[in-house]
Amino acid sequence: MLRELSRRSLLQALAGSTAALPLANLLGTTDAYAQGTTPPLRFVALFTSHGCLPELWNPQGSETNFTLDFPNSMLAPLQEHKDKLLVLDGLDYQVLYEQGLTGHEGGPVTFLTGSKVNTGSGDHLPESASLDQVLGNHIGGGTRFRSLQLNAWEQFGGQHVYNSISFTANGSRVPFERDPANVYQRLFGDAPSPSADPAQVASSRARRKSLLDFLMKDATRLRNRLAGAERQKLETHLEALRDIERRLGALAVDPAPLPKQQSGETACGGGAAPPSYGLGGLGDLNNMPALTRLHMDLIARAFACDLTRVITMTIPGPSMPWLRIHEDTHNDIAHLLDVQDEPRRSTIRGKMVLIQRWYAEQLAYLMTQLANIPEGSGTALDNTLIYWGNELGDASGHMNVRVPTVLAGGAGGRFRMGRFLRVRPAGSNPLGGWAGPGTRLSGAVAHNKLLVSIARAFGVNVNTFGHPDYTGELPGLT
């Protein structure tokens, strides 16, 4: 209980304020934790693409005594968080290749569904709901949003398979949000709309303060009446929100117009101005790092306020100019990992290391943000399970075997973290003796078992998830 101000008094003081909902959730959960209630378990699914190099992805060492700090380690940015990791080696998207489909396109669909992928409509769609939707329906009813679906950068058009990892029970795609400003507005209300006409935005900003100015007004009035722990949490939360607003404002500035061309001149360098999506530069791939970090910050803020407990996010990367990788990461890197001529081989493999390290940096950043949110006797990271996956293990061979998989966070104590777990014996060949697509594969370990284990960790009593042929939990997680 708040020692200097009851929750009821606080809500009465905030009545009618833009601060009411997020602060009520934030301080309401504090009140509950102080009375001994277990903090809620939360789930984040991150999807990145195009496989990896297993020998540079997997940790070095034993199950509990391993390191990510070695030359060309793809997971090196996660070394500081290794006690909160469960790196899994040997999982397959068995449901894909045994049901007659291999390659890239099925991976994003089956990642959270465990479903056979149906291509009868000309699209790639599952036959059952994704894990986030099941979990959202099970644990999200008490929050403002049952789940949120985020996308760092849309590629190939909104309906392309690489943009979607969340599906309803009838196999329809759940719409995703790629504009952090829109997510911010949905979560916290009253912020100026970045999609509005620029003149209207300017007028609106002139008429009223920003959302966080209103929040700060209420918080300043109440800060001295809060006890130490609650006061610190409130100040940390508000400062994080203000930082997000500052960066949203920086990104929302419309790009400078290109200089007018004189007769006979060629187009200016740098390409065409990005589309005017409201958040300036949404369509500019160079902005993807900043947009990704904003999404990560908003995940942390949403969890801090208990506005949702289930979030999915895709982070594509058709190229990565901020890493000086201008090639197509699919055709020019992932598909060429098996070339043998030097120095071409080393160059391509080195770029794949940079790509996967960048993805690992984003996960490490999110983990750090969650670890900075005090919650109960620990942090929000302790009460979060992050599932990071891919669609391929053998990228050059287009096969969905030995798919790189990481569980991160504290998992609310449901899983034993701080381990490197080989779910199939080291050195075994998952395709040995396989007759080809559409036939059973002996010795494979279906990722459906992991989906069952995660669902059960959240209290969903199932023995299968997705395709009914693959049953039971994944051994060794608890």
Side-chain angles (χ1 to χ4, degrees):
M1 181 178 292
L2 299 178
R3 290 173 290 177
E4 298 181 16
L5 181 65
S6 71
R7 184 171 184 269
R8 176 179 296 179
S9 297
L10 177 61
L11 295 181
Q12 288 174 344
L14 290 174
S17 163
T18 56
L21 179 63
L23 295 185
N25 282 327
L26 180 68
L27 297 172
T29 52
T30 301
D31 186 31
Y33 302 157
Q35 297 181 38
T37 302
T38 302
L41 181 62
R42 304 178 181 93
F43 177 73
V44 179
L46 298 178
F47 182 84
T48 60
S49 57
H50 300 332
C52 69
L53 292 164
E55 67 273 23
L56 300 179
W57 171 277
N58 284 332
Q60 291 184 354
S62 63
E63 177 180 336
T64 57
N65 184 21
F66 65 88
T67 183
L68 304 172
D69 186 15
F70 56 88
N72 293 318
S73 167
M74 293 179 166
L75 299 185
L78 291 165
Q79 175 70 16
E80 64 176 308
H81 293 297
K82 74 171 193 170
D83 291 342
K84 298 287 188 184
L85 298 180
L86 186 49
V87 182
L88 304 177
D89 179 42
L91 280 181
D92 294 356
Y93 290 158
Q94 193 174 357
V95 65
L96 289 185
Y97 53 73
E98 287 192 352
Q99 302 300 321
L101 180 69
T102 61
H104 292 277
E105 288 76 8
V109 178
T110 201
F111 169 53
L112 291 179
T113 67
S115 170
K116 173 184 177 181
V117 178
N118 193 325
T119 61
S121 66
D123 197 356
H124 291 75
L125 296 172
E127 298 178 345
S128 56
S130 53
L131 180 61
D132 62 296
Q133 294 301 290
V134 173
L135 297 184
N137 289 334
H138 187 73
I139 67 170
T143 60
R144 186 176 180 185
F145 302 98
R146 289 180 183 270
S147 65
L148 290 177
Q149 290 71 41
L150 308 178
N151 183 299
W153 195 82
E154 180 184 288
Q155 59 178 348
F156 309 128
Q159 293 302 307
H160 192 272
V161 65
Y162 266 130
N163 295 319
S164 301
I165 58 174
S166 183
F167 298 87
T168 63
N170 67 2
S172 299
R173 289 188 173 89
V174 178
F176 56 82
E177 179 57 70
R178 63 194 185 105
D179 187 340
N182 288 343
V183 178
Y184 181 70
Q185 193 168 14
R186 286 182 63 195
L187 290 173
F188 303 109
D190 222 14
S193 171
S195 59
D197 179 80
Q200 293 178 347
V201 171
S203 176
S204 175
R205 286 173 178 169
R207 286 195 311 268
R208 62 186 175 92
K209 297 180 180 180
S210 71
L211 166 65
L212 292 184
D213 286 333
F214 286 110
L215 275 171
M216 289 302 296
K217 180 179 178 181
D218 284 321
T220 300
R221 177 167 53 87
L222 293 167
R223 184 179 292 118
N224 292 334
R225 300 169 61 191
L226 293 176
E230 287 75 26
R231 177 177 173 177
Q232 179 182 3
K233 179 176 279 192
L234 173 63
E235 290 177 340
T236 300
H237 169 69
L238 292 174
E239 178 54 35
L241 285 175
R242 186 171 290 283
D243 179 65
I244 292 171
E245 186 189 46
R246 281 194 295 264
R247 285 184 288 146
L248 282 172
L251 276 175
V253 174
D254 289 334
L258 293 173
K260 292 183 178 179
Q261 292 175 225
Q262 301 297 321
S263 176
E265 286 187 344
T266 58
C268 298
S276 56
Y277 284 107
L279 182 63
L282 255 186
D284 185 347
L285 186 59
N286 289 286
N287 284 336
M288 197 176 95
L291 296 174
T292 300
R293 289 295 173 94
L294 283 167
H295 278 307
M296 296 297 188
D297 288 337
L298 288 164
I299 291 172
R301 291 300 98 209
F303 283 173
C305 295
D306 201 25
L307 296 174
T308 189
R309 296 174 184 173
V310 179
I311 297 178
T312 65
M313 183 171 176
T314 55
I315 313 177
S319 63
M320 294 187 172
W322 59 92
L323 298 178
R324 297 184 181 180
I325 296 176
H326 302 282
E327 302 96 324
D328 180 347
T329 57
H330 171 230
N331 292 315
D332 299 328
I333 296 178
H335 278 247
L336 299 179
L337 290 175
D338 57 352
V339 300
Q340 297 299 313
D341 55 304
E342 292 287 4
R344 188 179 178 215
R345 179 176 184 273
S346 294
T347 298
I348 292 171
R349 289 166 64 91
K351 289 182 178 181
M352 180 57 99
V353 169
L354 291 177
I355 291 168
Q356 296 301 330
R357 276 187 179 172
W358 186 82
Y359 288 135
E361 286 171 3
Q362 310 319 301
L363 174 56
Y365 179 82
L366 175 59
M367 295 178 73
T368 298
Q369 296 305 102
L370 294 174
N372 288 335
I373 300 172
E375 188 171 79
S377 59
T379 70
L381 181 62
D382 296 321
N383 303 307
T384 299
L385 176 64
I386 304 170
Y387 171 26
W388 177 22
N390 203 296
E391 88 277 27
L392 297 175
D394 177 7
S396 58
H398 256 71
M399 281 304 299
N400 313 101
V401 298
R402 204 179 182 185
V403 176
T405 304
V406 174
L407 300 181
R414 272 71 164 181
F415 299 147
R416 286 190 294 127
M417 309 304 283
R419 293 187 296 146
F420 168 41
L421 187 62
R422 296 185 185 273
V423 301
R424 188 173 56 233
S428 63
N429 179 8
L431 299 179
W434 184 43
T439 63
R440 297 287 291 180
L441 175 58
S442 177
V445 181
H447 89 294
N448 301 67
K449 293 179 178 292
L450 174 60
L451 300 181
V452 169
S453 294
I454 294 175
R456 287 186 178 181
F458 282 83
V460 182
N461 186 19
V462 293
N463 194 48
T464 63
F465 200 96
H467 200 283
D469 283 0
Y470 312 100
T471 62
E473 293 186 87
L474 184 65
L477 297 184
T478 58

